Amino acid sequence: MSSARATRQREVIAQVIEQAEGPLGVPEIHGRARQILPRLGIATVYRTLKLLTEQRQIHAVAVDGESLYEKTGQGHHHHFSCERCSRVFTLHVCPVDLPGGTVFAGGFLVRSHEVTLYGLCPTCAPQA
Amino acid sequence: MSSARATRQREVIAQVIEQAEGPLGVPEIHGRARQILPRLGIATVYRTLKLLTEQRQIHAVAVDGESLYEKTGQGHHHHFSCERCSRVFTLHVCPVDLPGGTVFAGGFLVRSHEVTLYGLCPTCAPQA
DNA sequence: TTGATTGCAAATAATTTGCAGAGAG
DNA sequence: CTCTCTGCAAATTATTTGCAATCAA
């Protein structure tokens, strides 16, 4: 049976995602990792994202129709997408009041939820 | 200057989206429209979605990393994605308490929000 | 040494564009 | 009649896969 090996590429890609201020897209991950490993191929990024996802080290979240990756184990949280600079941040607040097992009109049984807040980030807000 | 013409294709595509139970993806829109116009090309679907979006007749929402289209003017609402059948529904409820202009810790100025609820739809829930 | 991993390039899948003919106004 | 719109196919763009060389264990 196969075993996953520890390689410099995987180490760097995982670290880029760990240290990010929010979930990152594939081009962003590739770009940041390349500052450390210039010859890193995009195929390796995709393959590593798939591997890390299977290992539950990271997972994908959908924001604005794009798949972004973030580390797991951050607890319940949501995302903030800046309308000016387009960066996405992780926010450890939950503005939703939904007891588990809530049933909505019509019979929709809610098991979990995802919230994306839109507006201006701390950097862009003062400039507005 | 150019003016948009009323064509059968545009009429059918718009109608498919208007009558849907929730936002639809491109393959779904193409499939439903083809039941009426079998020779409808996928390129026309993409071009029409772009046109209708510019006209503000419809708009895109991101659910599970995919762009889905729905008519505008439905008022404040959110979406429910069924974990079993994968269909997406429109729900006219808002479980979020966010007065406009709320500022979150760190200086995030919130202007709007999007919520996606996950669970079992009325059809799938009874079978669970 | 052994076999997993990588970079590159070719293969797919998704979306966009060019173009000649069809159709709206 | 004029000029937009459509279907088809070719062109992009995004993601995946094949393969020989490289590297971890």
mmCIF file of all heavy atoms in Angstrom, chain B residues 5-7 26 42-43 46-47 50, chain C residues 14-19 23-25:
data_model
loop_
_atom_site.group_PDB
_atom_site.id
_atom_site.type_symbol
_atom_site.label_atom_id
_atom_site.label_comp_id
_atom_site.label_asym_id
_atom_site.label_seq_id
_atom_site.Cartn_x
_atom_site.Cartn_y
_atom_site.Cartn_z
ATOM 1 N N ARG B 5 -32.287 42.567 -29.021
ATOM 2 C CA ARG B 5 -33.503 42.112 -29.690
ATOM 3 C C ARG B 5 -34.196 40.989 -28.935
ATOM 4 O O ARG B 5 -33.551 40.200 -28.267
ATOM 5 C CB ARG B 5 -33.174 41.631 -31.106
ATOM 6 C CG ARG B 5 -32.754 42.775 -31.990
ATOM 7 C CD ARG B 5 -32.456 42.288 -33.388
ATOM 8 N NE ARG B 5 -32.122 43.429 -34.232
ATOM 9 C CZ ARG B 5 -31.723 43.319 -35.486
ATOM 10 N NH1 ARG B 5 -31.589 42.134 -36.038
ATOM 11 N NH2 ARG B 5 -31.465 44.389 -36.172
ATOM 12 N N ALA B 6 -35.504 40.947 -29.081
ATOM 13 C CA ALA B 6 -36.273 39.890 -28.431
ATOM 14 C C ALA B 6 -36.258 38.656 -29.309
ATOM 15 O O ALA B 6 -36.781 38.664 -30.422
ATOM 16 C CB ALA B 6 -37.710 40.356 -28.226
ATOM 17 N N THR B 7 -35.636 37.595 -28.827
ATOM 18 C CA THR B 7 -35.583 36.366 -29.620
ATOM 19 C C THR B 7 -36.193 35.232 -28.806
ATOM 20 O O THR B 7 -36.314 35.323 -27.580
ATOM 21 C CB THR B 7 -34.134 35.978 -29.970
ATOM 22 O OG1 THR B 7 -33.442 35.649 -28.762
ATOM 23 C CG2 THR B 7 -33.420 37.116 -30.669
ATOM 24 N N VAL B 26 -25.533 26.383 -15.193
ATOM 25 C CA VAL B 26 -25.561 26.450 -16.649
ATOM 26 C C VAL B 26 -26.060 25.157 -17.313
ATOM 27 O O VAL B 26 -26.915 25.213 -18.196
ATOM 28 C CB VAL B 26 -24.168 26.824 -17.206
ATOM 29 C CG1 VAL B 26 -24.136 26.725 -18.721
ATOM 30 C CG2 VAL B 26 -23.816 28.248 -16.768
ATOM 31 N N ILE B 42 -24.947 25.898 -26.397
ATOM 32 C CA ILE B 42 -24.471 26.298 -25.076
ATOM 33 C C ILE B 42 -23.894 27.713 -25.106
ATOM 34 O O ILE B 42 -23.988 28.448 -24.114
ATOM 35 C CB ILE B 42 -23.421 25.287 -24.552
ATOM 36 C CG1 ILE B 42 -23.082 25.547 -23.086
ATOM 37 C CG2 ILE B 42 -22.153 25.331 -25.399
ATOM 38 C CD1 ILE B 42 -24.218 25.248 -22.134
ATOM 39 N N ALA B 43 -23.315 28.102 -26.226
ATOM 40 C CA ALA B 43 -22.733 29.448 -26.332
ATOM 41 C C ALA B 43 -23.823 30.511 -26.197
ATOM 42 O O ALA B 43 -23.607 31.559 -25.596
ATOM 43 C CB ALA B 43 -22.008 29.608 -27.659
ATOM 44 N N TYR B 46 -24.617 30.961 -22.507
ATOM 45 C CA TYR B 46 -23.640 31.811 -21.821
ATOM 46 C C TYR B 46 -23.821 33.277 -22.213
ATOM 47 O O TYR B 46 -23.766 34.169 -21.369
ATOM 48 C CB TYR B 46 -22.214 31.369 -22.170
ATOM 49 C CG TYR B 46 -21.738 30.181 -21.378
ATOM 50 C CD1 TYR B 46 -21.579 28.933 -21.982
ATOM 51 C CD2 TYR B 46 -21.440 30.292 -20.018
ATOM 52 C CE1 TYR B 46 -21.123 27.838 -21.247
ATOM 53 C CE2 TYR B 46 -20.987 29.205 -19.283
ATOM 54 C CZ TYR B 46 -20.825 27.978 -19.902
ATOM 55 O OH TYR B 46 -20.384 26.901 -19.181
ATOM 56 N N ARG B 47 -24.023 33.527 -23.511
ATOM 57 C CA ARG B 47 -24.170 34.915 -23.955
ATOM 58 C C ARG B 47 -25.427 35.539 -23.392
ATOM 59 O O ARG B 47 -25.453 36.720 -23.005
ATOM 60 C CB ARG B 47 -24.175 34.972 -25.485
ATOM 61 C CG ARG B 47 -22.772 34.871 -26.070
ATOM 62 C CD ARG B 47 -22.734 35.065 -27.577
ATOM 63 N NE ARG B 47 -23.236 33.901 -28.290
ATOM 64 C CZ ARG B 47 -22.609 33.325 -29.327
ATOM 65 N NH1 ARG B 47 -21.465 33.812 -29.762
ATOM 66 N NH2 ARG B 47 -23.125 32.279 -29.916
ATOM 67 N N LYS B 50 -25.099 36.413 -19.711
ATOM 68 C CA LYS B 50 -24.331 37.633 -19.557
ATOM 69 C C LYS B 50 -25.213 38.855 -19.838
ATOM 70 O O LYS B 50 -25.212 39.831 -19.097
ATOM 71 C CB LYS B 50 -23.143 37.607 -20.530
ATOM 72 C CG LYS B 50 -22.143 38.724 -20.295
ATOM 73 C CD LYS B 50 -20.986 38.600 -21.275
ATOM 74 C CE LYS B 50 -19.969 39.719 -21.049
ATOM 75 N NZ LYS B 50 -18.908 39.707 -22.095
ATOM 76 P P DA C 14 -16.985 20.173 -17.375
ATOM 77 O OP1 DA C 14 -17.716 20.019 -16.103
ATOM 78 O OP2 DA C 14 -17.600 19.741 -18.659
ATOM 79 O "O5'" DA C 14 -16.591 21.712 -17.523
ATOM 80 C "C5'" DA C 14 -15.892 22.355 -16.451
ATOM 81 C "C4'" DA C 14 -15.748 23.824 -16.779
ATOM 82 O "O4'" DA C 14 -14.858 23.973 -17.900
ATOM 83 C "C3'" DA C 14 -17.062 24.511 -17.167
ATOM 84 O "O3'" DA C 14 -17.082 25.804 -16.558
ATOM 85 C "C2'" DA C 14 -16.971 24.607 -18.688
ATOM 86 C "C1'" DA C 14 -15.469 24.761 -18.900
ATOM 87 N N9 DA C 14 -14.951 24.284 -20.181
ATOM 88 C C8 DA C 14 -15.242 23.125 -20.841
ATOM 89 N N7 DA C 14 -14.577 22.971 -21.970
ATOM 90 C C5 DA C 14 -13.789 24.108 -22.040
ATOM 91 C C6 DA C 14 -12.849 24.553 -22.975
ATOM 92 N N6 DA C 14 -12.518 23.877 -24.077
ATOM 93 N N1 DA C 14 -12.240 25.740 -22.747
ATOM 94 C C2 DA C 14 -12.554 26.423 -21.644
ATOM 95 N N3 DA C 14 -13.421 26.110 -20.688
ATOM 96 C C4 DA C 14 -14.005 24.925 -20.940
ATOM 97 P P DT C 15 -18.382 26.767 -16.775
ATOM 98 O OP1 DT C 15 -18.569 27.476 -15.496
ATOM 99 O OP2 DT C 15 -19.491 26.012 -17.380
ATOM 100 O "O5'" DT C 15 -17.855 27.834 -17.824
ATOM 101 C "C5'" DT C 15 -16.672 28.566 -17.514
ATOM 102 C "C4'" DT C 15 -16.251 29.399 -18.687
ATOM 103 O "O4'" DT C 15 -15.797 28.552 -19.768
ATOM 104 C "C3'" DT C 15 -17.338 30.307 -19.285
ATOM 105 O "O3'" DT C 15 -16.834 31.645 -19.236
ATOM 106 C "C2'" DT C 15 -17.527 29.806 -20.714
ATOM 107 C "C1'" DT C 15 -16.190 29.153 -20.991
ATOM 108 N N1 DT C 15 -16.164 28.076 -22.012
ATOM 109 C C2 DT C 15 -15.251 28.188 -23.040
ATOM 110 O O2 DT C 15 -14.480 29.125 -23.161
ATOM 111 N N3 DT C 15 -15.278 27.147 -23.941
ATOM 112 C C4 DT C 15 -16.092 26.044 -23.922
ATOM 113 O O4 DT C 15 -16.003 25.182 -24.791
ATOM 114 C C5 DT C 15 -17.029 25.979 -22.818
ATOM 115 C C7 DT C 15 -17.979 24.824 -22.709
ATOM 116 C C6 DT C 15 -17.019 26.987 -21.922
ATOM 117 P P DT C 16 -17.573 32.890 -19.957
ATOM 118 O OP1 DT C 16 -17.268 34.115 -19.187
ATOM 119 O OP2 DT C 16 -18.969 32.517 -20.246
ATOM 120 O "O5'" DT C 16 -16.766 32.975 -21.321
ATOM 121 C "C5'" DT C 16 -15.350 33.048 -21.281
ATOM 122 C "C4'" DT C 16 -14.818 33.337 -22.662
ATOM 123 O "O4'" DT C 16 -14.896 32.143 -23.479
ATOM 124 C "C3'" DT C 16 -15.555 34.443 -23.432
ATOM 125 O "O3'" DT C 16 -14.570 35.320 -23.954
ATOM 126 C "C2'" DT C 16 -16.308 33.695 -24.523
ATOM 127 C "C1'" DT C 16 -15.425 32.479 -24.744
ATOM 128 N N1 DT C 16 -16.108 31.257 -25.226
ATOM 129 C C2 DT C 16 -15.589 30.605 -26.325
ATOM 130 O O2 DT C 16 -14.633 31.016 -26.958
ATOM 131 N N3 DT C 16 -16.230 29.448 -26.659
ATOM 132 C C4 DT C 16 -17.311 28.877 -26.027
ATOM 133 O O4 DT C 16 -17.780 27.810 -26.427
ATOM 134 C C5 DT C 16 -17.832 29.622 -24.898
ATOM 135 C C7 DT C 16 -19.023 29.108 -24.148
ATOM 136 C C6 DT C 16 -17.207 30.766 -24.546
ATOM 137 P P DT C 17 -14.957 36.585 -24.848
ATOM 138 O OP1 DT C 17 -13.974 37.640 -24.549
ATOM 139 O OP2 DT C 17 -16.411 36.851 -24.735
ATOM 140 O "O5'" DT C 17 -14.664 36.049 -26.325
ATOM 141 C "C5'" DT C 17 -13.391 35.506 -26.628
ATOM 142 C "C4'" DT C 17 -13.342 35.148 -28.094
ATOM 143 O "O4'" DT C 17 -14.044 33.911 -28.322
ATOM 144 C "C3'" DT C 17 -13.968 36.188 -29.034
ATOM 145 O "O3'" DT C 17 -13.081 36.378 -30.139
ATOM 146 C "C2'" DT C 17 -15.273 35.555 -29.462
ATOM 147 C "C1'" DT C 17 -14.940 34.062 -29.410
ATOM 148 N N1 DT C 17 -16.072 33.143 -29.162
ATOM 149 C C2 DT C 17 -16.117 31.971 -29.881
ATOM 150 O O2 DT C 17 -15.305 31.673 -30.722
ATOM 151 N N3 DT C 17 -17.161 31.146 -29.563
ATOM 152 C C4 DT C 17 -18.135 31.373 -28.627
ATOM 153 O O4 DT C 17 -19.011 30.528 -28.441
ATOM 154 C C5 DT C 17 -18.053 32.630 -27.928
ATOM 155 C C7 DT C 17 -19.083 32.972 -26.917
ATOM 156 C C6 DT C 17 -17.030 33.445 -28.223
ATOM 157 P P DG C 18 -13.442 37.423 -31.293
ATOM 158 O OP1 DG C 18 -12.263 38.299 -31.492
ATOM 159 O OP2 DG C 18 -14.768 38.022 -31.017
ATOM 160 O "O5'" DG C 18 -13.566 36.464 -32.556
ATOM 161 C "C5'" DG C 18 -12.498 35.571 -32.891
ATOM 162 C "C4'" DG C 18 -12.779 34.910 -34.232
ATOM 163 O "O4'" DG C 18 -13.787 33.889 -34.074
ATOM 164 C "C3'" DG C 18 -13.299 35.863 -35.299
ATOM 165 O "O3'" DG C 18 -12.808 35.418 -36.575
ATOM 166 C "C2'" DG C 18 -14.815 35.698 -35.199
ATOM 167 C "C1'" DG C 18 -14.970 34.234 -34.776
ATOM 168 N N9 DG C 18 -16.096 33.958 -33.895
ATOM 169 C C8 DG C 18 -16.499 34.698 -32.814
ATOM 170 N N7 DG C 18 -17.503 34.149 -32.176
ATOM 171 C C5 DG C 18 -17.769 32.984 -32.872
ATOM 172 C C6 DG C 18 -18.732 31.976 -32.639
ATOM 173 O O6 DG C 18 -19.560 31.881 -31.737
ATOM 174 N N1 DG C 18 -18.679 30.974 -33.595
ATOM 175 C C2 DG C 18 -17.795 30.942 -34.641
ATOM 176 N N2 DG C 18 -17.890 29.903 -35.471
ATOM 177 N N3 DG C 18 -16.882 31.871 -34.864
ATOM 178 C C4 DG C 18 -16.922 32.857 -33.944
ATOM 179 P P DC C 19 -13.155 36.258 -37.887
ATOM 180 O OP1 DC C 19 -12.020 36.042 -38.831
ATOM 181 O OP2 DC C 19 -13.588 37.635 -37.552
ATOM 182 O "O5'" DC C 19 -14.400 35.442 -38.443
ATOM 183 C "C5'" DC C 19 -14.289 34.017 -38.616
ATOM 184 C "C4'" DC C 19 -15.566 33.466 -39.229
ATOM 185 O "O4'" DC C 19 -16.520 33.155 -38.182
ATOM 186 C "C3'" DC C 19 -16.268 34.456 -40.177
ATOM 187 O "O3'" DC C 19 -16.739 33.747 -41.311
ATOM 188 C "C2'" DC C 19 -17.432 34.966 -39.343
ATOM 189 C "C1'" DC C 19 -17.771 33.728 -38.517
ATOM 190 N N1 DC C 19 -18.501 33.988 -37.265
ATOM 191 C C2 DC C 19 -19.411 33.025 -36.807
ATOM 192 O O2 DC C 19 -19.565 31.987 -37.457
ATOM 193 N N3 DC C 19 -20.102 33.260 -35.670
ATOM 194 C C4 DC C 19 -19.907 34.390 -34.991
ATOM 195 N N4 DC C 19 -20.604 34.579 -33.880
ATOM 196 C C5 DC C 19 -18.980 35.387 -35.442
ATOM 197 C C6 DC C 19 -18.304 35.144 -36.571
ATOM 198 P P DG C 23 -34.427 31.508 -39.627
ATOM 199 O OP1 DG C 23 -35.223 30.555 -38.815
ATOM 200 O OP2 DG C 23 -34.786 31.792 -41.039
ATOM 201 O "O5'" DG C 23 -34.388 32.883 -38.849
ATOM 202 C "C5'" DG C 23 -33.907 32.934 -37.489
ATOM 203 C "C4'" DG C 23 -34.101 34.335 -36.945
ATOM 204 O "O4'" DG C 23 -33.202 35.255 -37.602
ATOM 205 C "C3'" DG C 23 -35.508 34.891 -37.179
ATOM 206 O "O3'" DG C 23 -35.836 35.703 -36.064
ATOM 207 C "C2'" DG C 23 -35.347 35.751 -38.415
ATOM 208 C "C1'" DG C 23 -33.943 36.302 -38.191
ATOM 209 N N9 DG C 23 -33.224 36.711 -39.391
ATOM 210 C C8 DG C 23 -33.202 36.097 -40.621
ATOM 211 N N7 DG C 23 -32.427 36.707 -41.476
ATOM 212 C C5 DG C 23 -31.909 37.788 -40.764
ATOM 213 C C6 DG C 23 -31.010 38.806 -41.159
ATOM 214 O O6 DG C 23 -30.463 38.970 -42.252
ATOM 215 N N1 DG C 23 -30.757 39.704 -40.121
ATOM 216 C C2 DG C 23 -31.297 39.621 -38.874
ATOM 217 N N2 DG C 23 -30.941 40.566 -37.997
ATOM 218 N N3 DG C 23 -32.134 38.673 -38.478
ATOM 219 C C4 DG C 23 -32.390 37.792 -39.479
ATOM 220 P P DA C 24 -37.333 36.166 -35.749
ATOM 221 O OP1 DA C 24 -37.870 35.321 -34.673
ATOM 222 O OP2 DA C 24 -38.053 36.285 -37.037
ATOM 223 O "O5'" DA C 24 -37.093 37.609 -35.158
ATOM 224 C "C5'" DA C 24 -36.154 37.800 -34.081
ATOM 225 C "C4'" DA C 24 -35.856 39.272 -33.941
ATOM 226 O "O4'" DA C 24 -35.115 39.731 -35.088
ATOM 227 C "C3'" DA C 24 -37.102 40.136 -33.856
ATOM 228 O "O3'" DA C 24 -36.857 41.188 -32.931
ATOM 229 C "C2'" DA C 24 -37.284 40.644 -35.275
ATOM 230 C "C1'" DA C 24 -35.836 40.726 -35.783
ATOM 231 N N9 DA C 24 -35.681 40.433 -37.205
ATOM 232 C C8 DA C 24 -36.253 39.426 -37.939
ATOM 233 N N7 DA C 24 -35.855 39.386 -39.191
ATOM 234 C C5 DA C 24 -34.956 40.435 -39.294
ATOM 235 C C6 DA C 24 -34.175 40.925 -40.360
ATOM 236 N N6 DA C 24 -34.154 40.367 -41.576
ATOM 237 N N1 DA C 24 -33.396 41.991 -40.126
ATOM 238 C C2 DA C 24 -33.400 42.544 -38.900
ATOM 239 N N3 DA C 24 -34.080 42.173 -37.817
ATOM 240 C C4 DA C 24 -34.844 41.099 -38.082
ATOM 241 P P DG C 25 -37.985 42.229 -32.494
ATOM 242 O OP1 DG C 25 -37.697 42.599 -31.103
ATOM 243 O OP2 DG C 25 -39.291 41.640 -32.859
ATOM 244 O "O5'" DG C 25 -37.732 43.473 -33.431
ATOM 245 C "C5'" DG C 25 -36.505 44.184 -33.333
ATOM 246 C "C4'" DG C 25 -36.488 45.315 -34.351
ATOM 247 O "O4'" DG C 25 -36.255 44.777 -35.672
ATOM 248 C "C3'" DG C 25 -37.802 46.087 -34.429
ATOM 249 O "O3'" DG C 25 -37.523 47.468 -34.678
ATOM 250 C "C2'" DG C 25 -38.480 45.495 -35.652
ATOM 251 C "C1'" DG C 25 -37.266 45.250 -36.543
ATOM 252 N N9 DG C 25 -37.444 44.265 -37.606
ATOM 253 C C8 DG C 25 -38.259 43.167 -37.620
ATOM 254 N N7 DG C 25 -38.207 42.482 -38.726
ATOM 255 C C5 DG C 25 -37.279 43.174 -39.509
ATOM 256 C C6 DG C 25 -36.799 42.903 -40.823
ATOM 257 O O6 DG C 25 -37.099 41.988 -41.576
ATOM 258 N N1 DG C 25 -35.865 43.867 -41.208
ATOM 259 C C2 DG C 25 -35.443 44.930 -40.463
ATOM 260 N N2 DG C 25 -34.544 45.729 -41.024
ATOM 261 N N3 DG C 25 -35.899 45.187 -39.234
ATOM 262 C C4 DG C 25 -36.804 44.272 -38.820
#
